[in-house]
Amino acid sequence: ADLYFPVPRADGARVPALLWIHGGGFTGGTKSEKRAVNIATNFTARGWVVMSIDYALQKDGAPPVWPKNLHDCKTAVRWLRANAERLSIDPDRIAVAGGSAGGHLAGMVALTRPEDGLDPAGPYGGFSCAVRCGLNFYGIADLGRWHSRLPMLGASAGEDPERYRRASPIAYVR
């Protein structure tokens, strides 16, 4: 992860945090992409702590990476919460955002709850994965409309429609 910090507040008050998740079609991309740096520097200029992460990417011929990639993102939220005091973060004001594949994952982090069965067991299992706000920049919301096989899911939508539904942010809108 890359962490970006604002100028410390004179009053010592805790600040909001943003978790940025890069795009790359679930197969590429990096936490230090130009977009991540741009977003992080703009948010820190406005008083936010920003954490830009890498997550498990699907590699050719490897077993499906889902839901490990989502677990990596949810674990990052937990890490922010676990380190909130040290980082001067308000643990009740954590947001998640991402573009493309990162937008899809941000949507899943923002919309899923523990009862949905997609929270990782650990690490930091004593901390919540919940966020206050989620921003999905052009990430797919309904994987059931995906017209080709998505390797991270290990099957096509026609072969396993339930798996595609459970991996779709739209399925968790309440």
Side-chain angles (χ1 to χ4, degrees):
D2 290 339
L3 285 168
Y4 300 81
F5 294 96
V7 173
R9 290 180 49 135
D11 63 4
R14 293 187 184 200
V15 299
L18 173 71
L19 172 65
W20 175 258
I21 307 169
H22 68 79
F26 305 105
T27 62
T30 177
K31 63 183 169 46
S32 55
E33 66 183 359
K34 286 183 181 181
R35 181 182 320 130
V37 173
N38 184 340
I39 287 170
T41 55
N42 277 287
F43 269 79
T44 57
R46 287 156 181 80
W48 290 60
V49 168
V50 178
M51 182 178 180
S52 181
I53 63 164
D54 282 336
Y55 54 87
L57 299 174
Q58 186 63 50
K59 301 298 181 192
D60 286 340
V65 72
W66 179 263
K68 171 72 172 114
N69 50 4
L70 176 61
H71 290 172
D72 290 347
C73 300
K74 286 177 167 263
T75 297
V77 172
R78 286 178 171 170
W79 186 91
L80 285 169
R81 195 163 272 119
N83 290 280
E85 185 173 342
R86 181 171 65 89
L87 301 174
S88 296
I89 293 171
D90 180 343
D92 294 324
R93 294 191 316 162
I94 297 174
V96 61
S100 191
H104 166 269
L105 291 168
M108 290 297 292
V109 170
L111 293 169
T112 57
R113 298 177 182 165
E115 58 267 24
D116 297 319
L118 290 169
D119 286 1
Y124 309 106
F127 293 90
S128 171
C129 299
V131 294
R132 183 86 174 260
C133 171
L135 303 165
N136 175 351
F137 295 99
Y138 55 88
I140 190 162
D142 184 356
L143 291 176
R145 295 178 181 255
W146 198 265
H147 297 293
S148 60
R149 182 184 195 91
L150 192 57
M152 80 164 184
L153 294 177
S156 70
E159 294 166 335
D160 195 345
E162 179 60 13
R163 187 167 180 85
Y164 275 68
R165 186 196 68 76
R166 285 193 34 85
S168 295
I170 195 129
Y172 303 97
V173 173
R174 296 170 174 93

